[in-house]
């Protein structure tokens, strides 16, 4: 495998150095492939790295590690978001497929503090004075599902991804389908803003027992971990039910998932059955859909989803 | 002058062809310079072309001609915005400094029509169904001055400029300071989103009698044209007053400008004295400012401004 020649990835912390690196790679005829992450890497991330290495032709694979403050509301878990840079670098080196790691200390212009401003902050990125003020809104796709309970999340995601695109200038970027709405929203942003970047969505990686891999799983106690299995179990059962009954009513399927999650001790944020590209809810399941779930297990909010391909 | 070798510019209408052209130029070691316009070119635009040709080193100058629907509200003058592509191409060819003209038939993804949607349209870009939905908001700079009376204007400008940046991939882009707020807003967007593009602001070009050049001037009757001279006259007088009196009160200066414009028969939209970069209004003129004016002369809305450099 050609990618095995990568060895130790070069760690780059400066934006200008990152862009210069990418331009050198492209000048040498390589396809620059970006895998954006927030670190604390697991097998799900490494599957994105494998997919990046498998892009045809000579590739230069860049993994970015940056916990983006602007996608967290002040009430959310930025402060406790897990990190382990040394471990991440070891894991990436062991793949032999990563050529550079982009790990900037900060990606935003921070404004001079404005008194009283923090009270009105809608995200963990405090941007008073002449600080960051430019936001990308994907107005329809940002609204439902996770956008309903996390109003600044997708604004922050779209904006930091655009920044990474402009710094790294990749030809291809990999996103996991576990963050399904994020993946669809990035595809839409790339289309609407004409980024010259191919977006690849990678399948969800699961533990042997079915739990979707997530950096936040580390916060689950053994009991919570057991309860969390209800998520993937309810989704697989829902798919079986849908495939066995043409034109299932969404409400019926959703009710069953909510019941399974609640009985297991979860506190449901949402269960939605939506069209795969528009994420518009469907009443009758007569076309390809994705069932998306967000639920709290103890203090941890977990998301998962399952695509169902039905001939319309 | 090296730029004289440009001759007839190549007219490109397709996004992919435009990007390929730019990448070829850059591969040949040239600096790609973009001059974004909405056409109906006048000496102001041609001064941007001259500035583009004067960028050091070998350059490839691209002028884009595209009337951006998303920056017009449905109540505004998109339908009557003047155009003359043949004349524009002649003028650009005569400069000998333009290598390509990017003139796309459309830049947006138009959605399948959704019934009843046009009633809620906030811009002349109708984007129902799966149409364009991604907007760039520069949240502080978009609000005051022209943003107050034209609420979707800067959303549309920032978005179309980002699209042009991603299609043309220039190294340098030229903007006229006549659209002062636009220039500052684009600078902020480039900083915040990490576009690898240098933004150059070019001085306002004026007719011999002082009227700032604008494509909309063509709509002025001879009488209105005479009235419109009050704009530049009031600004020059204001600068003289400010420079002759340290710590002038903004209110006093603004009142004088409003009086001059009103007496001439104008209907003032706004007169503001603001900091040059933040566009925050100042009460006492004790630092560098710009005085910005928008006024209706008959059915034509005209803007103008003057920078005043005061040691703080």
């Amino acid at each position: 495998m050609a990618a095995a020649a990568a060895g130790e990835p070069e760690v780059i912390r400066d934006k200008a150095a990152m862009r210069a690196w990418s331009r050198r790679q492209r000048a040498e005829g390589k396809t620059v492939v970006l895998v954006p992450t927030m670190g604390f890497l697991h097998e799900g991330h490494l599957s994105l790295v494998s997919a990046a290495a498998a892009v045809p032709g000579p590739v230069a694979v860049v993994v970015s590690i940056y916990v983006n403050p602007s996608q967290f509301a002040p009430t959310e878990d930025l402060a406790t978001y897990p990190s382990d840079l040394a471990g991440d670098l070891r894991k990436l080196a062991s793949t032999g497929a990563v050529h550079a790691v982009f790990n900037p200390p900060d990606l935003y212009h921070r404004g001079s503090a404005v008194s009283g401003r923090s009270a009105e902050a809608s995200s963990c990125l405090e941007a008073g004075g002449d600080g960051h003020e430019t936001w990308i809104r994907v107005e329809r796709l940002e609204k439902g599902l996770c956008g309903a309970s996390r109003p600044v999340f997708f604004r922050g995601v779209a904006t930091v991804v655009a920044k990474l695109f402009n710094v790294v200038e990749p030809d291809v970027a990999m996103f996991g389908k576990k963050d399904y709405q994020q993946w669809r929203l990035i595809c839409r942003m790339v289309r609407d803003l004409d980024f010259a970047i191919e977006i690849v969505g990678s399948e969800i990686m699961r533990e042997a027992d079915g739990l979707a891999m997530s950096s936040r799983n580390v916060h689950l106690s053994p009991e919570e971990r057991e309860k969390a299995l209800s998520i993937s179990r309810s989704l697989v059962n829902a798919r079986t039910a849908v495939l066995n009954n043409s034109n299932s009513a969404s409400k019926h399927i959703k009710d069953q998932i909510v019941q399974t999650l609640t009985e297991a001790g979860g506190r449901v944020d949402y269960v939605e059955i939506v069209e795969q590209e528009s994420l518009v809810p469907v009443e009758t399941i007569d076309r390809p859909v994705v069932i998306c779930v967000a639920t709290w297990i103890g203090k941890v909010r977990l998301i998962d989803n399952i695509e169902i391909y039905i001939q319309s």
Side-chain angles (χ1 to χ4, degrees), chain A:
Chain A
M1 198 166 85
E8 286 287 315
E10 183 176 349
V11 179
I12 302 172
R13 294 173 57 80
D14 176 74
K15 290 179 186 179
M18 183 67 246
R19 186 181 287 126
W21 186 93
S22 280
R23 291 190 173 188
R24 272 198 310 278
Q25 302 300 317
R26 191 177 294 102
E28 291 173 12
K30 292 182 187 149
T31 299
V32 177
V33 186
L34 172 65
V35 182
T37 83
M38 301 215 298
F40 209 72
L41 305 178
H42 51 63
E43 290 295 322
H45 299 104
L46 300 183
S47 78
L48 296 177
V49 169
S50 299
V55 167
V59 293
V61 175
V62 185
V63 175
S64 65
I65 297 180
Y66 178 66
V67 179
N68 173 36
S70 78
Q71 72 192 58
F72 291 82
T75 54
E76 292 177 349
D77 62 343
L78 175 62
T80 59
Y81 198 86
S83 76
D84 176 16
L85 183 60
D88 290 345
L89 294 177
R90 266 197 311 276
K91 287 174 191 166
L92 293 175
S94 75
T95 67
V98 178
H99 303 79
V101 172
F102 181 47
N103 178 228
D106 195 4
L107 274 181
Y108 292 90
H109 279 82
R110 306 296 178 127
S112 41
V114 173
S115 68
R117 191 157 189 99
S118 61
E120 48 182 274
S122 55
S123 85
C124 290
L125 175 71
E126 191 52 66
D130 58 353
H132 184 94
E133 62 172 299
T134 306
W135 299 105
I136 298 181
R137 310 295 301 262
V138 184
E139 294 196 347
R140 287 191 293 272
L141 287 178
E142 76 174 18
K143 284 202 168 68
L145 303 175
C146 288
S149 58
R150 304 188 71 186
V152 300
F153 180 67
F154 289 112
R155 182 190 82 158
V157 166
T159 302
V160 81
V161 168
K163 285 167 70 68
L164 286 170
F165 284 177
N166 283 338
V167 170
V168 178
E169 297 182 340
D171 303 292
V172 180
M174 319 298 297
F175 289 84
K177 287 194 188 178
K178 167 148 169 302
D179 300 302
Y180 197 89
Q181 186 177 11
Q182 169 178 284
W183 168 54
R184 290 295 188 185
L185 179 136
I186 296 299
C187 290
R188 183 57 51 99
M189 175 183 84
V190 163
R191 184 199 76 169
D192 283 355
L193 297 185
D194 293 305
F195 280 101
I197 299 170
E198 179 191 351
I199 303 300
V200 177
S202 254
E203 299 305 326
I204 297 174
M205 293 296 286
R206 299 183 179 280
E207 306 288 353
D209 56 14
L211 182 66
M213 291 186 184
S214 164
S215 300
R216 289 188 174 95
N217 290 351
V218 72
H219 292 315
L220 296 170
S221 69
E223 296 75 24
E224 288 168 343
R225 172 65 210 255
E226 191 64 32
K227 293 175 183 175
L229 297 182
S230 62
I231 304 172
S232 55
R233 194 174 66 235
S234 68
L235 288 173
V236 169
N237 289 344
R239 178 164 64 178
T240 304
V242 167
L243 294 175
N244 286 341
N245 298 281
S246 55
N247 297 321
S248 298
S250 275
K251 182 172 186 321
H252 176 65
I253 302 292
K254 288 193 288 185
D255 286 349
Q256 288 188 317
I257 297 172
V258 169
Q259 188 181 340
T260 302
L261 295 172
T262 307
E263 284 174 2
R267 185 163 58 83
V268 175
D269 180 357
Y270 66 77
V271 175
E272 293 286 357
I273 304 178
V274 297
E275 287 182 359
Q276 291 184 2
E277 194 175 327
S278 69
L279 306 186
V280 169
V282 302
E283 290 199 6
T284 302
I285 306 175
D286 54 3
R287 67 207 102 150
V289 295
V290 55
I291 308 181
C292 296
V293 167
T295 189
W296 292 87
I297 304 288
K299 289 183 175 166
V300 188
R301 185 175 175 278
L302 297 174
I303 62 172
D304 200 350
N305 68 78
I306 198 161
E307 289 179 310
I308 307 179
Y309 288 90
I310 287 185
Q311 303 299 325
S312 59

